[in-house]
Amino acid sequence: MDGKIISIAIILLFLLPVNGEIFSMKFHENNIGNMNIPTRKGEYVTGMRGNQPDAEEMEWLSKFEIVHAGSIDEPLSSENIEYLRQKGVKIIMADDWMPAGYYYPDGNNTPFMKWVYENRYLTTLNPEGPFPHCWESGYDWREYYFDFAVDELVAERVKYLVNGMKSAGYNGIFFDWGNGLFLREKGYESINATYYSRHPSLPYSRAAANFLAALRGEMPEIVMENNQGFREAEYYLLVLDYDMAESYITDCDYYGKRIYVEGYGLTEVPETIYYPVSENEFSGNLNDTLYYLDYLAELRGEYGGENFKKTVYMNYAAPEFIFLRKENGHDVYTPSIPKNAIYFGYAVAKLAGQISYTEVPWNHSYERCDVYFYDLGEPLGQNYEKIDGGYVRYYSNGLVVVGDWQSKVRINLSPPNLPSCGAIYDAFEEKWIESKNGSINIVIKPRFDNLTGRMAPSSRVFIYPKNENLEIEITKPEEGKLYFMDREIIATGGTKAIILGKIEIEANTNGIKVEFYIDNELKYEDNEMPYSWAWDEFAFGDHEIKVVAYDEDGRSADDELKAVYFNLG
C-alpha cells in the first residue's frame, strides 16, 4: 500500500507548482493590543484580628474565595458576612482552638464552656490543672483540654459549633493546634498521662479525628481546615478539606535591628526569614524548603481523604523598608509591601500546586499584593522541573520560576503551551516579555536587602495574555505545502495543503476545547492541550478541514483549510 502512495507522490511532484522554498514560516503579529491578563479571585486570605474589619479590609477580604476571619465566639458581623457573600466569597471560615477552651473565672463564659466546667471531671483532661498555655502566656484565666473520647463532650461541642456557625453565617472552620503532638511537649505531661490512663488503646488524635468526622456528619456542607494536621496525617488528612503548613516558606522575627521609620521614629524592625525550615535560617537554601514541600505532597497522596483539596502555606514577612531621605544625620526609611517575600511565598507554593498567603504582622495593610489575583490556570505535569540555578512549574495560563540566584541571570525556557501572541506578562516586573519560536528569555535580577546585608532569593510569575476575542488557527497542515506520512516535504505555492497518507492535524487556540471536522462531519473532540487529531482513513480528492474552538463562556470560533487528500487505507 505504501508503494501506491509513493507513486502518487511522484506524480504530484511533477504536476504541482513549486516556489523553490523548502520550508516557510508564518509570521504571527504581536496581538497584545487585543489581549488582557487573565485574573481570578484570590484563593485564601486571613483577616479580622480583634475588632470588626474596617471598610478597607473588608474590600481586601472580598477579593478572595476563602476568607478566614473572626471566630465562633467573636464572629464577623452579619453585615460583613452578607457583604462578603454579595461579593462572591465562597467559604467564610471561623477560627477555633481545637484541643481546649478558655474558662473565665469572672463568669464571662459561653454556655458551652459553662457546661464543660460543670462537667470538667468527665469532659476534660485537666479538671484541676495544670493550665500551661495560660500560665506561659501570662493569662489570669484557665484552659481546659477536651477529652475527645467522651461521647457527651463530642456531642455538646458539635452542637455548639454548628449552631454558632449557622447563626453567624459561616460555612467553614479553622482549627488551631490541629494535631495532638502538643501533648508531648514540656508542661503537658500530666494531661497526656490522664488521657492514656483513661483510653490506653485509642490514640488521642484518632479520637480528635472522630470528633471532626462527627462535626461533618452534623453539617455535611462544612469546610474544615486544621493547622498542621499533616504532622499526624494518618488521622487528620482523611477528614479535612484543607491543612495549613505555617512558616514553611517564609517567616519573620526581630533580631535587634533599629532604624528610623517615617511615622514611627527610631524603632526595632523585623526581618524576613527566607529559609525557616533550614538548619540555619539565614544561610539555608531552597532545596531544604522543597524537601518539606515534597514530603507534604507524599502525605497528601497517601492519606488525603475524599474531601481533601490542598495545603495552605501560611507565611509571614516583614515589610520592605525603603530608604527615603537623610534627616539630622540619620537614614530615614518608609515601610512598603514586601513584594519579593510575598512573590517568593506564592511561587514556591505554586511549584507544588498549592495555596499560599503571606501575612505581614508588623502592619497587615502591607500584605495586600496583587499576585494572588493572576489566573495561572491548572498545573501541568506531575511536578516542578529543575532549571539552571532554580525551578519552574508550568501552568495552563503561565508559569512560576524560583531560585537562589546571587546575581543577574538570563534563562531560556520553552513552555509546552506558549501562546502564539508574541509576548507574556512578567507580573513581578510589570512588563511584557517577547516570545519567539516557542521560547522565552527571562531575566531575573535578585534583590539585595540593605537592612540584612543578604541577597534574597528570587521568584517570578509569568502570565499568558488572554485574547478578548476567542481565536483558533490550524497550525498543521498549512496551505501551499506537501505532506507525506505526517512529514512536511516541500512548499508548493498553492492554496491547498497536499496530504499523502495519515497526518496529525494540529490547532492552536485560547479556548478550552477543540472539535475537528472533515467536510463538516465531526471526527474528534479534544479537551486538553496540545489540541490535535490524527486523520488516517480511506479517502482521496478535495476535502475541507475545519476546527471549532469553544471558551469557558460557550463562545465558538473556527478555522478552515482546503486540502487534497490521498490515503488508500
Side-chain angles (χ1 to χ4, degrees), residues 20-68:
E21 295 180 4
I22 300 302
F23 36 68
S24 63
M25 183 180 297
K26 286 187 178 180
F27 175 73
H28 300 280
E29 292 187 2
N30 191 316
N31 294 319
I32 296 304
N34 297 323
M35 299 289 184
N36 58 21
I37 301 171
T39 59
R40 55 161 295 166
K41 268 190 174 294
E43 293 176 280
Y44 184 99
V45 66
T46 58
M48 187 184 169
R49 296 105 182 154
N51 298 324
Q52 291 289 324
D54 59 20
E56 188 175 329
E57 183 178 3
M58 285 300 300
E59 177 64 22
W60 173 248
L61 298 180
S62 72
K63 297 177 182 291
F64 292 80
E65 292 182 345
I66 302 175
V67 173
H68 170 185

Side-chain angles (χ1 to χ4, degrees), residues 290 346-353 383-384 391-393 395 400 402:
L290 294 182
Y346 177 86
V348 171
K350 289 305 173 187
L351 288 179
N383 209 340
Y384 53 83
Y391 299 88
V392 62
R393 183 69 185 269
Y395 280 74
V400 296
V402 183

Side-chain angles (χ1 to χ4, degrees), residues 483-559:
Y483 296 83
F484 175 67
M485 298 300 289
D486 201 36
R487 295 179 61 186
E488 180 184 323
I489 302 300
I490 195 170
T492 67
T495 59
K496 299 179 182 181
I498 311 300
I499 303 168
L500 307 179
K502 65 181 180 180
I503 189 168
E504 192 82 11
I505 299 174
E506 300 174 356
N508 187 29
T509 180
N510 57 350
I512 60 173
K513 181 180 76 171
V514 175
E515 295 174 342
F516 294 83
Y517 292 82
I518 301 296
D519 300 328
N520 285 319
E521 179 183 347
L522 177 62
K523 295 293 186 178
Y524 184 68
E525 179 182 301
D526 196 349
N527 295 289
E528 295 183 358
M529 294 183 292
Y531 300 106
S532 64
W533 169 64
W535 187 16
D536 185 14
E537 59 187 1
F538 175 80
F540 58 89
D542 289 331
H543 296 275
E544 181 184 75
I545 301 170
K546 183 171 75 171
V547 292
V548 180
Y550 297 87
D551 65 12
E552 59 271 14
D553 298 320
R555 298 180 301 173
S556 65
D558 62 74
D559 190 22

Side-chain angles (χ1 to χ4, degrees), residues 269-559:
V269 295
E271 299 177 22
T272 296
I273 303 166
Y274 281 97
Y275 306 111
V277 298
S278 296
E279 185 174 346
N280 186 315
E281 58 194 19
F282 299 116
S283 61
N285 60 69
L286 182 57
N287 291 331
D288 296 338
T289 304
L290 294 182
Y291 171 84
Y292 283 98
L293 265 67
D294 292 343
Y295 175 60
L296 265 62
E298 293 177 7
L299 294 178
R300 289 193 299 272
E302 184 173 358
Y303 297 111
E306 62 179 352
N307 294 298
F308 194 83
K309 299 169 183 65
K310 289 185 177 183
T311 298
V312 176
Y313 285 96
M314 177 57 61
N315 312 305
Y316 302 95
E320 182 178 358
F321 293 97
I322 300 174
F323 174 76
L324 190 62
R325 63 180 180 274
K326 283 258 186 201
E327 186 176 289
N328 299 325
H330 301 293
D331 292 342
V332 179
Y333 295 84
T334 185
S336 68
I337 293 172
K339 187 175 181 179
N340 194 79
I342 293 176
Y343 265 73
F344 184 76
Y346 177 86
V348 171
K350 289 305 173 187
L351 288 179
Q354 303 303 301
I355 297 172
S356 167
Y357 188 76
T358 299
E359 289 190 2
V360 181
W362 193 81
N363 185 325
H364 288 285
S365 66
Y366 293 115
E367 63 199 46
R368 297 169 188 170
C369 180
D370 60 5
V371 69
Y372 302 110
F373 311 123
Y374 295 114
D375 186 3
L376 279 169
E378 295 300 318
L380 303 179
Q382 295 301 310
N383 209 340
Y384 53 83
E385 301 175 19
K386 189 170 179 57
I387 57 175
D388 185 19
Y391 299 88
V392 62
R393 183 69 185 269
Y394 296 109
Y395 280 74
S396 57
N397 293 343
L399 60 139
V400 296
V401 175
V402 183
D404 290 318
W405 301 286
Q406 296 298 299
S407 59
K408 178 180 175 180
V409 294
R410 294 180 181 273
I411 302 171
N412 182 269
L413 298 172
S414 298
N417 58 330
L418 187 67
S420 59
C421 62
I424 67 171
Y425 187 66
D426 182 337
F428 187 89
E429 299 291 352
E430 301 179 22
K431 66 181 183 180
W432 293 97
I433 297 177
E434 185 178 6
S435 62
K436 292 182 179 180
N437 302 325
S439 66
I440 54 172
N441 281 293
I442 63 174
V443 177
I444 296 179
K445 302 175 183 177
R447 298 294 182 92
F448 184 78
D449 190 331
N450 290 314
L451 295 183
T452 64
R454 296 185 295 271
M455 192 70 74
S458 302
S459 60
R460 296 294 184 269
V461 177
F462 299 94
I463 305 294
Y464 303 147
K466 181 179 180 181
N467 199 324
E468 293 181 353
N469 300 311
L470 177 63
E471 293 184 352
I472 187 168
E473 177 187 21
I474 298 173
T475 56
K476 179 186 171 187
E478 297 181 40
E479 67 178 31
K481 291 188 177 181
L482 172 67
Y483 296 83
F484 175 67
M485 298 300 289
D486 201 36
R487 295 179 61 186
E488 180 184 323
I489 302 300
I490 195 170
T492 67
T495 59
K496 299 179 182 181
I498 311 300
I499 303 168
L500 307 179
K502 65 181 180 180
I503 189 168
E504 192 82 11
I505 299 174
E506 300 174 356
N508 187 29
T509 180
N510 57 350
I512 60 173
K513 181 180 76 171
V514 175
E515 295 174 342
F516 294 83
Y517 292 82
I518 301 296
D519 300 328
N520 285 319
E521 179 183 347
L522 177 62
K523 295 293 186 178
Y524 184 68
E525 179 182 301
D526 196 349
N527 295 289
E528 295 183 358
M529 294 183 292
Y531 300 106
S532 64
W533 169 64
W535 187 16
D536 185 14
E537 59 187 1
F538 175 80
F540 58 89
D542 289 331
H543 296 275
E544 181 184 75
I545 301 170
K546 183 171 75 171
V547 292
V548 180
Y550 297 87
D551 65 12
E552 59 271 14
D553 298 320
R555 298 180 301 173
S556 65
D558 62 74
D559 190 22

